Amino acid sequence: MLQNNTKPHLYFESKLAVFIPVLFLANENGQVFFAATFLSILQKAIAAIVEALKPYAMRIFLLSLFLFPLLVFAQKREVFRIDSLPKAGILLNQGWKWHAGDDPEWAKAEFDDAGWEEIDPTKDIFALPQLPRSGKIGWFRIHLMIDSSLNQQMVMLIQQSGASEIYLNGRLIQQFGTLSTDPQKVIAFTPALKPVSFPTTNRHIGVLAVRYALQPGIGYSSHFGTVNTALTISLNTVENGVDTYESIHWAAVQPHPIRVGIFFSLAILYFGFYFFTEREW
């Protein structure tokens, strides 16, 4: 008989390679009794479930092999999703990683860049102290996921302050300027937002990797609102990309009120000086 001063204790047993909580009752003499047949019932239930799942064991195993890499990918890598393309295009200003140094393996899609530094390359180079001014090479990487409905040909509109090689899933697709392991041979060049081809991928999941360096010795100006963006990449359709480029450069060649005012002011001063000196003679 159990005495009235019995008190419950919680123990753990690991007969099935997992801890199963079992409730015991113990009296003051240390004698242990089962409060119920809970353990045996639970063991029989687990055995029945395992037996029922045996025919599907291989399917479960294969499914786990398929899902595990996807879960790891989702946990380690930030992905820039593109579900639609507005007329102005999509600016890639989030999800970028940066690492100083140079290794051709960094162009490959399967390379693990989880430990790289997060960066926004659309900022001014003066706001990005991690970019070497000495001409040494570094890499940008971004993981893209493009909706399968966006199956039209796309273009990139790029502006940069250095030299670059652009890779998509390990394949070189564009090159601007000259990169070299010799910093003195690095030559910066910007395509000034001119549309260039962006090959679509059947996987709709791609890694854009950019090998990049600043040209040493260039006097980058920060006066009068000048922005020396390190790297700006926008994605758009061919038609909208061409329209954007033409509108930007058309506006650039139009007479600016300030420039026109300065021109006329200088012209007046010139003719005034000319007539004044002519009278003196």
Side-chain angles (χ1 to χ4, degrees):
M1 291 288 295
L2 289 176
Q3 299 179 7
N4 293 332
N5 57 356
T6 57
K7 43 188 176 181
H9 296 274
L10 191 64
Y11 295 84
F12 292 91
E13 187 169 305
S14 58
K15 289 188 177 181
L16 295 176
V18 294
F19 288 105
I20 302 175
V22 183
L23 186 65
F24 291 90
L25 294 177
N27 58 17
E28 290 182 349
N29 297 325
Q31 295 175 325
V32 179
F33 302 89
F34 284 101
T37 57
F38 172 74
L39 177 60
S40 63
I41 294 174
L42 183 59
Q43 289 176 337
K44 290 179 181 179
I46 292 176
I49 294 173
V50 171
E51 188 67 25
L53 291 177
K54 278 185 179 180
Y56 307 98
M58 183 55 66
R59 294 182 185 179
I60 295 173
F61 175 71
L62 293 176
L63 181 62
S64 64
L65 289 180
F66 173 76
L67 292 177
F68 181 74
L70 296 180
L71 292 174
V72 173
F73 179 85
Q75 291 175 356
K76 288 188 175 182
R77 298 174 178 172
E78 182 180 353
V79 179
F80 191 103
R81 296 182 58 91
I82 301 176
D83 300 319
S84 61
L85 282 176
K87 185 174 178 58
I90 295 291
L91 176 63
L92 305 183
N93 59 350
Q94 298 178 6
W96 285 97
K97 297 291 190 70
W98 161 264
H99 193 72
D102 193 19
D103 189 334
E105 293 293 315
W106 297 349
K108 298 180 179 179
E110 60 270 20
F111 176 77
D112 184 7
D113 57 17
W116 284 25
E117 177 184 2
E118 295 181 359
I119 194 172
D120 179 5
T122 65
K123 292 182 177 180
D124 193 293
I125 59 173
F126 292 105
L128 300 172
Q130 56 269 65
L131 301 186
R133 305 292 190 272
S134 60
K136 292 184 178 180
I137 295 173
W139 285 73
F140 298 105
R141 283 172 58 93
I142 186 172
H143 297 261
L144 302 175
M145 180 175 291
I146 302 174
D147 192 90
S148 58
S149 63
L150 302 176
N151 51 13
Q152 66 266 54
Q153 178 61 48
M154 297 184 190
V155 293
M156 296 184 293
L157 283 73
I158 301 172
Q159 188 159 327
Q160 62 182 27
S161 295
S164 66
E165 294 173 357
I166 301 177
Y167 297 82
L168 179 62
N169 295 330
R171 182 168 68 92
L172 179 65
I173 59 172
Q174 299 292 342
Q175 182 174 353
F176 302 104
T178 303
L179 283 171
S180 174
T181 54
D182 181 358
Q184 299 306 314
K185 295 181 180 180
V186 173
I187 301 176
F189 174 81
T190 179
L193 300 177
K194 182 178 181 180
V196 294
S197 175
F198 178 75
T200 55
T201 169
N202 293 330
R203 293 188 299 168
H204 298 287
I205 298 177
V207 174
L208 204 61
V210 182
R211 187 172 180 244
Y212 185 90
L214 293 171
Q215 179 179 340
I218 291 184
Y220 293 101
S221 173
S222 58
H223 303 295
F224 305 109
T226 302
V227 178
N228 306 285
T229 180
L231 177 67
T232 296
I233 300 179
S234 297
L235 294 182
N236 211 333
T237 62
V238 176
E239 181 180 0
N240 290 339
V242 172
D243 288 345
T244 299
Y245 176 76
E246 290 180 347
S247 63
I248 291 174
H249 286 269
W250 174 256
V253 299
Q254 295 304 301
H256 193 279
I258 295 179
R259 289 197 294 265
V260 173
I262 293 175
F263 173 78
F264 277 109
S265 298
L266 291 175
I268 293 172
L269 288 174
Y270 172 78
F271 283 112
F273 178 76
Y274 173 78
F275 286 117
F276 176 78
T277 55
E278 185 177 355
R279 288 183 179 180
E280 290 292 325
W281 284 98

